[in-house]
Every structure is written in structure tokens, then in C-alpha cells.
Amino acid sequence: MAFVFARSAGGGVPPVAVFAIALLLLIGLWEAATRLALVSPLILPRLEDIAGQLVAGLLTQRGWWLHVGVTLLETIVGFVVGVVIALALGGVLAFMTTVRRGIHPFILGIQTFPKVAIAPLLMTWLGYGLAPKIALAAFLAFFPVYSATVAGLTTINPDQLALMRMMEARKWQELRHLRFPNATTYVVPSLDVALVLAFLGALVGELVSARHGLGYLIALNTTYGDMAAVYGVLILLSALGMVLHLTMSMITRGLQRSGSRV
């Protein structure tokens, strides 16, 4: 625990200590507000009630694990689908400048649609199973990877490009040794953002209409007024989001190290 109290290199308080202090303050204020009945339980349930719902859902009754699995499945499949489509479309349009500039406003316009408004349309088109949630997750994951792919393949150092052409490098050599490595530096960091967006897309789809998933649990318990369970699911969602983020960060760092050795 010594690192918690150790000062950072700049002489300030380390971030871990700031986080711990902020968390303790939040818990203290929350507990005081609920104990003194300053806030309605429908707004802030008691912390022990939230903890009880978490324990019941994950350890005692274990009914939440099915919903965790469904949400993760929708997120991962949607992420993979969105990334594959983004890489394929971005890779093609990067070399079709006129076509790319012509359809880019459509892609940008679709991405600016409110995602909650798109979800009901997907339910109508694809039904009420996993497909619309996966589609929405893929929809959100698509744009950051697509943009990174196009930028990575087209934003090339002109001196390096001139050198390749002066050496009479073939097109495939230019792709292999210049454009693809450059695109990797753009695409790999975008994967982290895409995964988080896919997670949010799956949740939005579940909130609109679902029979399983953590978004469904939030909607169901909100209907019944069980706010302790709602907060419990929100805490679980936060933990899952951090796990997904940390996992993808490890993967992207590994990909970046591998790319730097090539």
C-alpha cells in the first residue's frame, strides 16, 4: 500500500490516492444522505441494499450471470462485425478518393443519428432477439475504426512516399512497407474506443427491447421501482466496462509492440 501514499515524480499526490479519497468522500456523503433521510430511496437507495442486490444477483441466486453473458456476447460479436466492415470499407475507399468524398457525408450523417432513435428501427427490421443489439453494437464500433483506417492509409509522409517511388517500389511494396504500417498506428488505438462504443450500443438495444441482458435488467427493475437493483447493475456495468477497456488496452499495446518490431 506504500504506493498509495507515495508522492508522484512531480511532487504531487499520486492519482491512486486522489481516487481513494474521492471514493471515500462519495461513500460518506451517500451514507449520510440515506441515513438522515435527506434523499428519497427512489433516488439514492442505501448502500447495504445495493450491496445486497449485487451479492444476490452474482453470488447467492446468480441470476445475473446469464444477462452478463448475453451483453458480453452482443458486445464482442458486434465489435468484431463493426471492425471487419470498417477495415474492409475503409481500405477500399482510401484508394477511391472521388467515391469516398461522395459517400462520406452519408456515413457521417448516419453516425450523427441519435442511437436510441435507431434502435426501434433495428427491432422492426431484425426482430427482438440478439441480432438488433449486435447490429447496433457494430454500428457504433464502425465509425472510429473506419475513420482511422482511411486516415492511416491516406495520411502518408510525403518524403517517405517520394523515396519509395524514387526507388521504383511497386504498389504492393508501397502498401506493405509504408501504408499498412502507417495505418496500424491509427487503427490500433481506435479499437479501444470501438469496443467501448460497441458495449454502449448493446446496452442501448437492450434498454429499448430485450428479454435478456444487463440493459434489460435496468429497465425491468426500474419498472418495479427497485432502485437498489438498478444501482447494483450500474456498478456491475462500470466494472465490466473497465475490464473491457483494460483488456483491449493490453491487446493494443501488444499489437503496437509487434508492429514496431516488423
mmCIF file of all heavy atoms in Angstrom, residues 136-163:
data_model
loop_
_atom_site.group_PDB
_atom_site.id
_atom_site.type_symbol
_atom_site.label_atom_id
_atom_site.label_comp_id
_atom_site.label_asym_id
_atom_site.label_seq_id
_atom_site.Cartn_x
_atom_site.Cartn_y
_atom_site.Cartn_z
ATOM 1 N N LEU A 136 -26.596 -2.868 -33.622
ATOM 2 C CA LEU A 136 -26.368 -1.545 -33.039
ATOM 3 C C LEU A 136 -24.954 -1.435 -32.470
ATOM 4 O O LEU A 136 -24.301 -0.388 -32.598
ATOM 5 C CB LEU A 136 -27.405 -1.282 -31.945
ATOM 6 C CG LEU A 136 -27.481 0.151 -31.406
ATOM 7 C CD1 LEU A 136 -27.728 1.140 -32.538
ATOM 8 C CD2 LEU A 136 -28.570 0.264 -30.354
ATOM 9 N N ALA A 137 -24.467 -2.513 -31.862
ATOM 10 C CA ALA A 137 -23.092 -2.518 -31.360
ATOM 11 C C ALA A 137 -22.103 -2.364 -32.512
ATOM 12 O O ALA A 137 -21.123 -1.600 -32.423
ATOM 13 C CB ALA A 137 -22.820 -3.809 -30.593
ATOM 14 N N ALA A 138 -22.345 -3.068 -33.612
ATOM 15 C CA ALA A 138 -21.472 -2.960 -34.783
ATOM 16 C C ALA A 138 -21.551 -1.565 -35.384
ATOM 17 O O ALA A 138 -20.544 -0.999 -35.835
ATOM 18 C CB ALA A 138 -21.865 -4.009 -35.827
ATOM 19 N N PHE A 139 -22.752 -0.999 -35.382
ATOM 20 C CA PHE A 139 -22.970 0.347 -35.921
ATOM 21 C C PHE A 139 -22.124 1.372 -35.191
ATOM 22 O O PHE A 139 -21.497 2.237 -35.806
ATOM 23 C CB PHE A 139 -24.460 0.665 -35.795
ATOM 24 C CG PHE A 139 -24.867 1.969 -36.401
ATOM 25 C CD1 PHE A 139 -25.058 2.093 -37.762
ATOM 26 C CD2 PHE A 139 -25.078 3.079 -35.599
ATOM 27 C CE1 PHE A 139 -25.441 3.307 -38.325
ATOM 28 C CE2 PHE A 139 -25.469 4.285 -36.152
ATOM 29 C CZ PHE A 139 -25.645 4.402 -37.519
ATOM 30 N N LEU A 140 -22.084 1.285 -33.882
ATOM 31 C CA LEU A 140 -21.302 2.240 -33.095
ATOM 32 C C LEU A 140 -19.805 1.975 -33.197
ATOM 33 O O LEU A 140 -18.999 2.910 -33.147
ATOM 34 C CB LEU A 140 -21.742 2.210 -31.630
ATOM 35 C CG LEU A 140 -22.809 3.245 -31.251
ATOM 36 C CD1 LEU A 140 -24.152 2.893 -31.894
ATOM 37 C CD2 LEU A 140 -22.976 3.317 -29.743
ATOM 38 N N ALA A 141 -19.422 0.702 -33.311
ATOM 39 C CA ALA A 141 -17.999 0.366 -33.387
ATOM 40 C C ALA A 141 -17.397 0.717 -34.740
ATOM 41 O O ALA A 141 -16.173 0.877 -34.862
ATOM 42 C CB ALA A 141 -17.801 -1.122 -33.110
ATOM 43 N N PHE A 142 -18.239 0.857 -35.755
ATOM 44 C CA PHE A 142 -17.762 1.027 -37.127
ATOM 45 C C PHE A 142 -16.989 2.322 -37.339
ATOM 46 O O PHE A 142 -15.867 2.312 -37.861
ATOM 47 C CB PHE A 142 -18.956 0.963 -38.088
ATOM 48 C CG PHE A 142 -18.660 1.446 -39.475
ATOM 49 C CD1 PHE A 142 -18.081 0.594 -40.410
ATOM 50 C CD2 PHE A 142 -18.942 2.750 -39.861
ATOM 51 C CE1 PHE A 142 -17.792 1.029 -41.693
ATOM 52 C CE2 PHE A 142 -18.659 3.194 -41.141
ATOM 53 C CZ PHE A 142 -18.094 2.334 -42.060
ATOM 54 N N PHE A 143 -17.563 3.450 -36.939
ATOM 55 C CA PHE A 143 -17.056 4.740 -37.396
ATOM 56 C C PHE A 143 -15.629 5.050 -36.938
ATOM 57 O O PHE A 143 -14.818 5.512 -37.754
ATOM 58 C CB PHE A 143 -18.005 5.864 -36.978
ATOM 59 C CG PHE A 143 -17.711 7.161 -37.661
ATOM 60 C CD1 PHE A 143 -17.943 7.325 -39.015
ATOM 61 C CD2 PHE A 143 -17.174 8.225 -36.948
ATOM 62 C CE1 PHE A 143 -17.671 8.524 -39.661
ATOM 63 C CE2 PHE A 143 -16.894 9.427 -37.578
ATOM 64 C CZ PHE A 143 -17.139 9.583 -38.938
ATOM 65 N N PRO A 144 -15.260 4.858 -35.662
ATOM 66 C CA PRO A 144 -13.878 5.195 -35.282
ATOM 67 C C PRO A 144 -12.838 4.372 -36.027
ATOM 68 O O PRO A 144 -11.769 4.895 -36.390
ATOM 69 C CB PRO A 144 -13.840 4.932 -33.775
ATOM 70 C CG PRO A 144 -15.004 4.066 -33.489
ATOM 71 C CD PRO A 144 -16.046 4.411 -34.492
ATOM 72 N N VAL A 145 -13.141 3.097 -36.272
ATOM 73 C CA VAL A 145 -12.175 2.249 -36.994
ATOM 74 C C VAL A 145 -12.136 2.623 -38.470
ATOM 75 O O VAL A 145 -11.063 2.662 -39.091
ATOM 76 C CB VAL A 145 -12.529 0.762 -36.807
ATOM 77 C CG1 VAL A 145 -11.528 -0.119 -37.550
ATOM 78 C CG2 VAL A 145 -12.546 0.404 -35.333
ATOM 79 N N TYR A 146 -13.285 2.912 -39.048
ATOM 80 C CA TYR A 146 -13.332 3.348 -40.455
ATOM 81 C C TYR A 146 -12.531 4.628 -40.644
ATOM 82 O O TYR A 146 -11.709 4.738 -41.572
ATOM 83 C CB TYR A 146 -14.782 3.546 -40.887
ATOM 84 C CG TYR A 146 -14.931 4.314 -42.177
ATOM 85 C CD1 TYR A 146 -14.736 3.691 -43.406
ATOM 86 C CD2 TYR A 146 -15.261 5.674 -42.169
ATOM 87 C CE1 TYR A 146 -14.850 4.401 -44.595
ATOM 88 C CE2 TYR A 146 -15.384 6.387 -43.347
ATOM 89 C CZ TYR A 146 -15.179 5.752 -44.556
ATOM 90 O OH TYR A 146 -15.294 6.458 -45.726
ATOM 91 N N SER A 147 -12.762 5.616 -39.789
ATOM 92 C CA SER A 147 -12.043 6.888 -39.902
ATOM 93 C C SER A 147 -10.545 6.696 -39.742
ATOM 94 O O SER A 147 -9.747 7.291 -40.473
ATOM 95 C CB SER A 147 -12.561 7.878 -38.848
ATOM 96 O OG SER A 147 -13.929 8.126 -39.018
ATOM 97 N N ALA A 148 -10.154 5.843 -38.775
ATOM 98 C CA ALA A 148 -8.735 5.591 -38.543
ATOM 99 C C ALA A 148 -8.108 4.870 -39.733
ATOM 100 O O ALA A 148 -6.956 5.149 -40.112
ATOM 101 C CB ALA A 148 -8.551 4.773 -37.269
ATOM 102 N N THR A 149 -8.849 3.949 -40.338
ATOM 103 C CA THR A 149 -8.321 3.207 -41.490
ATOM 104 C C THR A 149 -8.070 4.133 -42.670
ATOM 105 O O THR A 149 -6.990 4.096 -43.300
ATOM 106 C CB THR A 149 -9.304 2.100 -41.900
ATOM 107 O OG1 THR A 149 -9.534 1.222 -40.796
ATOM 108 C CG2 THR A 149 -8.759 1.300 -43.073
ATOM 109 N N VAL A 150 -9.046 4.971 -42.979
ATOM 110 C CA VAL A 150 -8.887 5.905 -44.095
ATOM 111 C C VAL A 150 -7.741 6.874 -43.821
ATOM 112 O O VAL A 150 -6.892 7.127 -44.687
ATOM 113 C CB VAL A 150 -10.204 6.669 -44.341
ATOM 114 C CG1 VAL A 150 -9.989 7.773 -45.372
ATOM 115 C CG2 VAL A 150 -11.292 5.717 -44.804
ATOM 116 N N ALA A 151 -7.698 7.418 -42.606
ATOM 117 C CA ALA A 151 -6.631 8.370 -42.272
ATOM 118 C C ALA A 151 -5.263 7.708 -42.326
ATOM 119 O O ALA A 151 -4.296 8.291 -42.838
ATOM 120 C CB ALA A 151 -6.882 8.954 -40.882
ATOM 121 N N GLY A 152 -5.164 6.482 -41.815
ATOM 122 C CA GLY A 152 -3.874 5.805 -41.790
ATOM 123 C C GLY A 152 -3.349 5.453 -43.159
ATOM 124 O O GLY A 152 -2.132 5.461 -43.393
ATOM 125 N N LEU A 153 -4.256 5.160 -44.096
ATOM 126 C CA LEU A 153 -3.829 4.767 -45.441
ATOM 127 C C LEU A 153 -3.586 5.968 -46.357
ATOM 128 O O LEU A 153 -2.910 5.840 -47.379
ATOM 129 C CB LEU A 153 -4.874 3.850 -46.081
ATOM 130 C CG LEU A 153 -4.977 2.444 -45.482
ATOM 131 C CD1 LEU A 153 -6.167 1.701 -46.061
ATOM 132 C CD2 LEU A 153 -3.695 1.650 -45.707
ATOM 133 N N THR A 154 -4.137 7.119 -45.999
ATOM 134 C CA THR A 154 -4.022 8.288 -46.876
ATOM 135 C C THR A 154 -3.087 9.369 -46.323
ATOM 136 O O THR A 154 -2.531 10.148 -47.108
ATOM 137 C CB THR A 154 -5.410 8.912 -47.121
ATOM 138 O OG1 THR A 154 -6.020 9.252 -45.865
ATOM 139 C CG2 THR A 154 -6.311 7.938 -47.862
ATOM 140 N N THR A 155 -2.920 9.420 -45.010
ATOM 141 C CA THR A 155 -2.059 10.436 -44.408
ATOM 142 C C THR A 155 -0.640 9.899 -44.335
ATOM 143 O O THR A 155 -0.205 9.353 -43.319
ATOM 144 C CB THR A 155 -2.563 10.825 -43.004
ATOM 145 O OG1 THR A 155 -3.957 11.144 -43.074
ATOM 146 C CG2 THR A 155 -1.808 12.021 -42.454
ATOM 147 N N ILE A 156 0.064 10.024 -45.427
ATOM 148 C CA ILE A 156 1.403 9.456 -45.558
ATOM 149 C C ILE A 156 2.432 10.584 -45.600
ATOM 150 O O ILE A 156 2.198 11.636 -46.195
ATOM 151 C CB ILE A 156 1.516 8.603 -46.839
ATOM 152 C CG1 ILE A 156 0.466 7.488 -46.838
ATOM 153 C CG2 ILE A 156 2.910 8.012 -46.982
ATOM 154 C CD1 ILE A 156 0.626 6.489 -45.713
ATOM 155 N N ASN A 157 3.566 10.344 -44.961
ATOM 156 C CA ASN A 157 4.664 11.312 -45.021
ATOM 157 C C ASN A 157 5.111 11.466 -46.478
ATOM 158 O O ASN A 157 5.537 10.491 -47.113
ATOM 159 C CB ASN A 157 5.834 10.808 -44.162
ATOM 160 C CG ASN A 157 6.948 11.829 -44.057
ATOM 161 O OD1 ASN A 157 7.423 12.355 -45.048
ATOM 162 N ND2 ASN A 157 7.375 12.105 -42.832
ATOM 163 N N PRO A 158 5.011 12.665 -47.035
ATOM 164 C CA PRO A 158 5.353 12.831 -48.468
ATOM 165 C C PRO A 158 6.803 12.506 -48.786
ATOM 166 O O PRO A 158 7.105 12.027 -49.886
ATOM 167 C CB PRO A 158 5.032 14.317 -48.732
ATOM 168 C CG PRO A 158 5.027 14.968 -47.388
ATOM 169 C CD PRO A 158 4.570 13.927 -46.415
ATOM 170 N N ASP A 159 7.711 12.734 -47.860
ATOM 171 C CA ASP A 159 9.114 12.410 -48.105
ATOM 172 C C ASP A 159 9.311 10.903 -48.217
ATOM 173 O O ASP A 159 10.053 10.420 -49.093
ATOM 174 C CB ASP A 159 9.994 12.971 -46.994
ATOM 175 C CG ASP A 159 10.000 14.499 -46.969
ATOM 176 O OD1 ASP A 159 9.790 15.098 -48.042
ATOM 177 O OD2 ASP A 159 10.198 15.068 -45.880
ATOM 178 N N GLN A 160 8.651 10.158 -47.327
ATOM 179 C CA GLN A 160 8.742 8.698 -47.395
ATOM 180 C C GLN A 160 8.119 8.178 -48.685
ATOM 181 O O GLN A 160 8.654 7.253 -49.316
ATOM 182 C CB GLN A 160 8.065 8.083 -46.171
ATOM 183 C CG GLN A 160 8.769 8.376 -44.857
ATOM 184 C CD GLN A 160 8.031 7.790 -43.673
ATOM 185 O OE1 GLN A 160 6.824 7.538 -43.724
ATOM 186 N NE2 GLN A 160 8.759 7.555 -42.590
ATOM 187 N N LEU A 161 6.981 8.753 -49.061
ATOM 188 C CA LEU A 161 6.326 8.314 -50.292
ATOM 189 C C LEU A 161 7.196 8.623 -51.513
ATOM 190 O O LEU A 161 7.332 7.789 -52.422
ATOM 191 C CB LEU A 161 4.962 9.008 -50.418
ATOM 192 C CG LEU A 161 4.099 8.599 -51.610
ATOM 193 C CD1 LEU A 161 3.795 7.111 -51.569
ATOM 194 C CD2 LEU A 161 2.803 9.407 -51.627
ATOM 195 N N ALA A 162 7.819 9.801 -51.520
ATOM 196 C CA ALA A 162 8.695 10.165 -52.636
ATOM 197 C C ALA A 162 9.899 9.230 -52.708
ATOM 198 O O ALA A 162 10.338 8.845 -53.805
ATOM 199 C CB ALA A 162 9.153 11.616 -52.481
ATOM 200 N N LEU A 163 10.418 8.844 -51.549
ATOM 201 C CA LEU A 163 11.549 7.928 -51.520
ATOM 202 C C LEU A 163 11.165 6.567 -52.087
ATOM 203 O O LEU A 163 11.925 5.975 -52.876
ATOM 204 C CB LEU A 163 12.069 7.780 -50.086
ATOM 205 C CG LEU A 163 13.226 6.806 -49.886
ATOM 206 C CD1 LEU A 163 14.455 7.257 -50.674
ATOM 207 C CD2 LEU A 163 13.566 6.671 -48.394
#
